[in-house]
Amino acid sequence: MTRKAVSLLLILLTLVCLSGCWSRREMSELAIVMGAGVDRTPENRIRLTLQLARPAAFGGGAETGGAGAAERQNITWVVSETGDTIFEAERNLALKISRRIYWAHNIILVFGAEAAKSGVGNYVDFFMRDPMSRENIWVLVTRGEAKELLESHSELEKTSAQSIGFVERNKAGLAVIFKDFAMALASRGSNPALPAVELQKLGEPQGSGMEEEKQHEEVVMTGTGVFKDEYLVGWLDTSETRGLLWLRGEINKGIITVPSPGRPDKLLSINVARARTRVEPEYDGENIGFNITITIDGELLEQQSGEDLTIPEKVEEIEAAAAMDVIRKCTATLEKAQGEYGVDIFNFGEAFHRKYKRDWKELKYQWNDAFAGAQINIYAEAHLRRTGLLTRPATVKK
Amino acid sequence: MGEILENSKISSRQAVFLMVTMIFATVILSVPAITVKHARQDAWISVGLATVAGLLIARLVTTLGLRFPERTLFEYPAEILGRWPGKLVGFFYIIWFLHINAGVIREYGEFLVTAFRPAPPLIVFNLMAVAIAAYTVRNGLEVFTRANEIFFPLTMGLIVITSIFASGETDIQRLLPVADVDAVSIFKGAMVPLAWFGEIVTIALVIPYLNRPRESHRAAVTSVLISGVVFMLVVANAIGIFGPDLIEAMVFPGLNKYRIVNLANFLGRFEALAMTAWVTAGFVKISIFYWATLLGVSQVLELKDYRSLVLPVGGVLMAMSMLDHPSALHLQHFEAQVFPFFALTFEAAIPLLLLITALVRGKGERLG
């Protein structure tokens, strides 16, 4: 009997311990960071801006307000504070924010242009060292201030941080997670390149509650920020960014537009279904060269001209034109990277290291200079594999 | 003699599970960083070398053990070297097991505190680990061996499955070029994993309790082989994800790997699984070394029962786990710089000397 009583007591005792509430964190006690931005103030201090979610406003009912849609609530709260280190700024923010700052759901980290130009080295450590922040947040650089960028809203998504996060996730343009950014910073064989974002007014105001003065600016991707080591040195536009992606072998989606073979005034658009980039370094002890081979599998998804393209000769012509278009984009990007900025943002140094590990030991210390002088040959080979659901435009009079 | 103290019987398979859990529990967290620091992207070669050397240690220890199949590592030094020198060797082993166990307990706590930053202080986690282990070892070898048989698929399964999930982020090119660093660095990188694989010396305490002691050769070799191959894959996987530059700066590369897993944009944050595997395996490892200490003390002092020692040894372990290292930094420095020499002395040097002496003096029987 006593044995039973003791057992029961022990079981009850475990109940007390098992609830495990020592360091429990309730949703309502957290200030969930959706996006973080780093700027440099004129006094050379760090300004950390956080876009915090307002869970109360996240509730499902807000948009289905029935008759007379409810007033649109501000779904995020953007606050910033300065400090000499990121952590100090974060702690200074904690004095203003009623809840515990919770980093684990952060989606994006944005560097302001000024902060990036002065070197991001001072800003990155916290985001790897603090266990709450993740290695897979998207890293971006803005042409203006990170604070302004985070103050924006999104029409389609709940927050602008989510919006830009989804654009990145779709891999439509350059997409860099923190881990890859950190690796590019640490490696002598590559330099970081971050997607550049800006604010733009998109779309027209529609319906009630969307009068023009209330229309927000949305975050859009407008190219790439090029870094030399930790310093932002310049920008690439969207077309040059395509070149960067081709050369890095990071093209996941995209189109190539070429003139129609028989009708140069009409255009064709080819969807890139699959692409592969091979980088083959060459070194004879003096001259560094790279042979880049890009292989593209495409499908024709739009044709303006009325001609029949199912003839092999015409397909070959299209393929050659598509390959030329890719080469042109790559060459433009390369000229800018080699000539204007003198930085290897293509990980070519890593490729060189893999093939010439002995010579690399000498070259790695001035790799960007070596890269700027390298002879780079680009070969592209496009294959038109499919033509969508049509063989020729169906609506053309014969 | 052994029967009085410990009347467990375990199978060879159980012994393999036990040894693999023991090695893997701690090797996966901090060792990749130490090895990569020396050998960069060739760290997997270092691990391969360490595995080969570990196999030699396994063979050495079982060869020695099988000369005295009824006795443990705490008992046969007395037969080989004479009563008092033998007791001295046994005493050193007790100290060794205490120290490495204190390190394991500390790392167990430090991992939880560093990576998950809970509110409770370190001592709470250490105390919990020691308290559960105390209850476990009090029930003897067979109990925690069987418990581990249940945990093993869970712990190793989680490690393997999460590594597969993480492979989406892996770029195999980061392992190239092969042999980028010189041979010396690769050997240096092999030292620390070897110290872990050398923990297979613990099988010398288990041999008398195997239901087929003659299979201990195979059990020991299998244990090191499984640990080595899986660890090599884990290290290669980590390098493929983070590249050598980031890994060498990390405290627990084994953990960071799981943090970036993202399956189909909705399954992620696998570190909770990694923590489950680690806490379970860590508990088994602490129990093994705890039990080894108890067995050692009672065999060296020729006691009939070790159960009365559970609490005092637990207290000593608690104190040592808090006092051996003033900080996690100290623990990391110790693991990278001191532990290989400290460990290999007991894992390889002393068993080798014992074996040579036994051969010269013709002690023990030829079984293996």
Side-chain angles (χ1 to χ4, degrees):
Chain A
M1 196 58 220
T2 38
R3 215 181 145 79
K4 267 188 185 166
V6 169
S7 310
L8 197 68
L9 206 71
L10 279 174
I11 290 170
L12 286 176
L13 202 69
T14 51
L15 277 183
V16 177
C17 305
L18 279 178
S19 56
C21 287
W22 193 329
S23 34
R24 113 205 100 105
R25 284 167 204 172
E26 299 289 345
M27 268 286 282
S28 57
E29 293 164 8
L30 299 178
I32 298 166
V33 179
M34 305 299 291
V38 179
D39 287 307
R40 197 175 68 126
T41 66
E43 305 85 60
N44 209 4
R45 301 186 85 207
I46 293 168
R47 186 176 66 206
L48 178 69
T49 308
L50 299 182
Q51 188 184 84
L52 302 171
R54 290 185 59 237
F58 263 74
E63 271 151 295
T64 54
E71 180 102 2
R72 290 161 67 92
Q73 285 197 38
N74 224 0
I75 215 153
T76 55
W77 182 42
V78 182
V79 278
S80 45
E81 187 53 88
T82 54
D84 290 325
T85 64
I86 298 272
F87 195 34
E88 197 181 292
E90 196 243 25
R91 288 295 92 197
N92 288 339
L93 269 174
L95 294 173
K96 292 180 166 180
I97 300 173
S98 55
R99 301 177 177 188
R100 177 198 268 274
I101 299 171
Y102 193 67
W103 286 94
H105 292 284
N106 188 15
I107 302 168
I108 56 167
L109 169 64
V110 191
F111 292 112
E114 282 308 310
K117 277 176 196 157
S118 68
V120 292
N122 282 348
Y123 314 134
V124 288
D125 187 66
F126 174 79
F127 296 97
M128 290 200 89
R129 200 179 282 269
D130 185 279
M132 265 204 283
S133 189
R134 303 284 158 162
E135 292 87 341
N136 52 5
I137 55 177
W138 302 106
V139 191
L140 313 146
V141 60
T142 171
R143 290 173 202 251
E145 287 200 331
K147 179 169 177 286
E148 276 171 32
L149 196 93
L150 288 170
E151 280 165 353
S152 65
H153 296 269
S154 166
E155 285 297 335
L156 211 51
E157 307 303 334
K158 304 240 175 198
T159 66
S160 55
Q162 278 169 303
S163 165
I164 196 69
F166 290 150
V167 172
E168 294 273 308
R169 202 174 72 186
N170 290 338
K171 304 252 166 94
L174 181 67
V176 180
I177 63 171
F178 195 90
K179 175 203 81 162
D180 292 327
F181 178 59
M183 265 196 288
L185 277 172
S187 162
R188 287 193 182 276
S190 66
N191 289 280
L194 292 181
V197 283
E198 271 180 82
L199 286 176
Q200 271 176 20
K201 273 200 176 166
L202 293 177
E204 289 297 312
Q206 289 161 341
S208 67
M210 290 189 66
E211 293 78 23
E212 183 141 24
E213 66 268 24
K214 285 192 187 166
Q215 196 197 356
H216 331 292
E217 288 184 307
E218 297 245 358
V219 182
V220 292
M221 290 179 69
T222 58
T224 303
V226 178
F227 285 72
K228 185 169 195 170
D229 299 326
E230 51 164 318
Y231 305 101
L232 177 73
V233 291
W235 307 91
L236 300 178
D237 62 22
T238 33
S239 162
E240 289 157 351
T241 303
R242 299 302 295 170
L244 169 69
L245 291 172
W246 281 115
L247 287 166
R248 277 190 172 191
E250 286 176 9
I251 286 275
N252 292 68
K253 300 178 177 156
I255 62 158
I256 304 167
T257 300
V258 294
S260 191
R263 296 278 309 274
D265 55 323
K266 301 275 186 176
L267 296 176
L268 310 171
S269 274
I270 298 160
N271 180 46
V272 178
R274 206 179 293 267
R276 228 174 79 82
T277 305
R278 268 195 55 198
V279 179
E280 193 61 39
E282 258 170 35
Y283 184 56
D284 59 6
E286 234 173 273
N287 304 308
I288 299 168
F290 286 95
N291 292 322
I292 320 288
T293 315
I294 301 172
T295 323
I296 306 145
D297 277 4
E299 60 182 327
L300 186 68
L301 278 191
E302 190 174 348
Q303 179 182 355
Q304 291 176 341
S305 65
E307 57 185 323
D308 185 357
L309 296 177
T310 49
I311 307 154
E313 289 78 41
K314 292 207 169 172
V315 171
E316 270 169 35
E317 231 176 292
I318 297 168
E319 288 174 346
M324 267 318 292
D325 185 69
V326 170
I327 293 175
R328 253 197 313 273
K329 282 208 171 89
C330 292
T331 314
T333 312
L334 265 177
E335 270 170 15
K336 212 157 188 184
Q338 281 190 301
E340 196 171 331
Y341 303 135
V343 286
D344 174 13
I345 47 175
F346 310 100
N347 304 329
F348 286 175
E350 298 285 350
F352 187 87
H353 179 200
R354 284 195 282 272
K355 192 168 172 192
Y356 300 102
K357 57 184 183 190
R358 284 198 183 76
D359 302 306
W360 176 249
K361 289 198 165 62
E362 312 253 308
L363 276 168
K364 67 176 176 184
Y365 297 105
Q366 58 276 336
W367 175 249
N368 280 329
D369 299 340
F371 164 78
Q375 171 67 38
I376 299 173
N377 307 314
I378 307 166
Y379 309 96
E381 200 184 311
H383 303 281
L384 195 63
R385 303 289 190 197
R386 275 163 289 275
T387 59
L389 293 181
L390 297 176
T391 53
R392 65 167 191 87
T395 52
V396 175
K397 290 187 180 67
K398 279 199 135 181
Chain B
M1 197 169 169
E3 278 78 9
I4 309 162
L5 202 57
E6 173 70 66
N7 49 19
S8 303
K9 278 288 171 211
I10 65 173
S11 72
S12 301
R13 192 180 63 146
Q14 287 172 324
V16 170
F17 283 7
L18 201 61
M19 293 295 118
V20 173
T21 309
M22 176 187 73
I23 293 170
F24 233 84
T26 42
V27 79
I28 186 170
L29 285 172
S30 49
V31 179
I34 302 169
T35 303
V36 167
K37 206 167 281 171
H38 292 295
R40 307 269 309 162
Q41 65 266 45
D42 296 322
W44 59 276
I45 304 178
S46 296
V47 175
L49 285 176
T51 310
V52 173
L55 290 174
L56 295 178
I57 293 180
R59 183 78 197 180
L60 163 72
V61 172
T62 43
T63 306
L64 176 64
L66 282 179
R67 294 184 77 83
F68 310 91
E70 300 289 308
R71 287 166 197 279
T72 73
L73 183 59
F74 294 112
E75 293 167 311
Y76 49 70
E79 283 199 29
I80 298 170
L81 304 169
R83 186 174 163 87
W84 292 109
K87 293 248 183 252
L88 192 67
V89 171
F91 175 73
F92 281 138
Y93 268 103
I94 294 168
I95 301 291
W96 183 69
F97 274 116
L98 272 174
H99 267 291
I100 57 172
N101 205 8
V104 173
I105 296 166
R106 180 63 178 253
E107 204 181 357
Y108 179 94
E110 289 289 356
F111 170 72
L112 293 172
V113 172
T114 307
F116 300 97
R117 291 233 311 247
L122 176 71
I123 194 162
V124 175
F125 297 101
N126 287 8
L127 191 65
M128 267 171 14
V130 175
I132 300 170
Y135 171 72
T136 316
V137 294
R138 199 174 177 282
N139 293 313
L141 170 68
E142 195 166 338
V143 169
F144 64 80
T145 306
R146 279 167 184 266
N148 181 57
E149 209 176 358
I150 300 167
F151 299 150
F152 186 79
L154 173 81
T155 51
M156 289 306 274
L158 282 178
I159 286 165
V160 172
I161 287 171
T162 39
S163 291
I164 293 170
F165 286 163
S167 58
E169 286 290 331
T170 311
D171 182 357
I172 205 85
Q173 291 201 320
R174 298 199 178 109
L175 290 168
L176 300 173
V178 175
D180 193 30
V181 297
D182 50 32
V184 178
S185 305
I186 292 181
F187 278 113
K188 274 188 188 167
M191 284 299 280
V192 176
L194 176 59
W196 257 265
F197 295 149
E199 283 172 1
I200 193 68
V201 73
T202 314
I203 205 162
L205 311 180
V206 179
I207 291 174
Y209 310 116
L210 287 175
N211 51 16
R212 291 190 206 88
R214 279 159 191 274
E215 285 181 7
S216 62
H217 270 321
R218 214 170 60 199
V221 165
T222 316
S223 307
V224 174
L225 212 56
I226 293 176
S227 313
V229 170
V230 178
F231 187 53
M232 196 196 273
L233 293 176
V234 166
V235 168
N237 187 221
I239 297 170
I241 293 170
F242 291 107
D245 294 313
L246 296 194
I247 291 184
E248 67 174 86
M250 288 173 176
V251 179
F252 303 120
L255 176 76
N256 289 66
K257 204 166 80 175
Y258 304 128
R259 290 162 48 101
I260 63 158
V261 174
N262 184 2
L263 285 180
N265 293 322
F266 74 95
L267 254 181
R269 319 266 149 103
F270 275 84
E271 67 265 31
L273 291 183
M275 180 175 72
T276 314
W278 157 252
V279 167
T280 321
F283 149 72
V284 173
K285 180 163 190 165
I286 293 167
S287 300
I288 297 169
F289 288 160
Y290 197 159
W291 172 82
T293 314
L294 295 174
L295 190 78
V297 173
S298 40
Q299 286 183 336
V300 169
L301 299 180
E302 291 168 25
L303 305 178
K304 288 217 161 43
D305 191 354
Y306 63 60
R307 265 173 282 187
S308 54
L309 295 170
V310 170
L311 275 183
V313 169
V316 170
L317 275 175
M318 255 324 279
M320 283 172 73
S321 77
M322 296 304 292
L323 300 175
D324 259 9
H325 307 284
S327 66
L329 294 170
H330 188 276
L331 177 65
Q332 285 152 23
H333 180 80
F334 173 81
E335 280 178 354
Q337 306 293 332
V338 186
F339 184 69
F341 304 101
F342 179 53
L344 288 169
T345 310
F346 289 88
E347 290 164 356
I350 296 180
L352 185 65
L353 289 177
L354 285 174
L355 182 65
I356 293 171
T357 318
L359 287 171
V360 171
R361 291 194 170 177
K363 300 278 184 185
E365 49 192 306
R366 270 199 62 83
L367 248 179

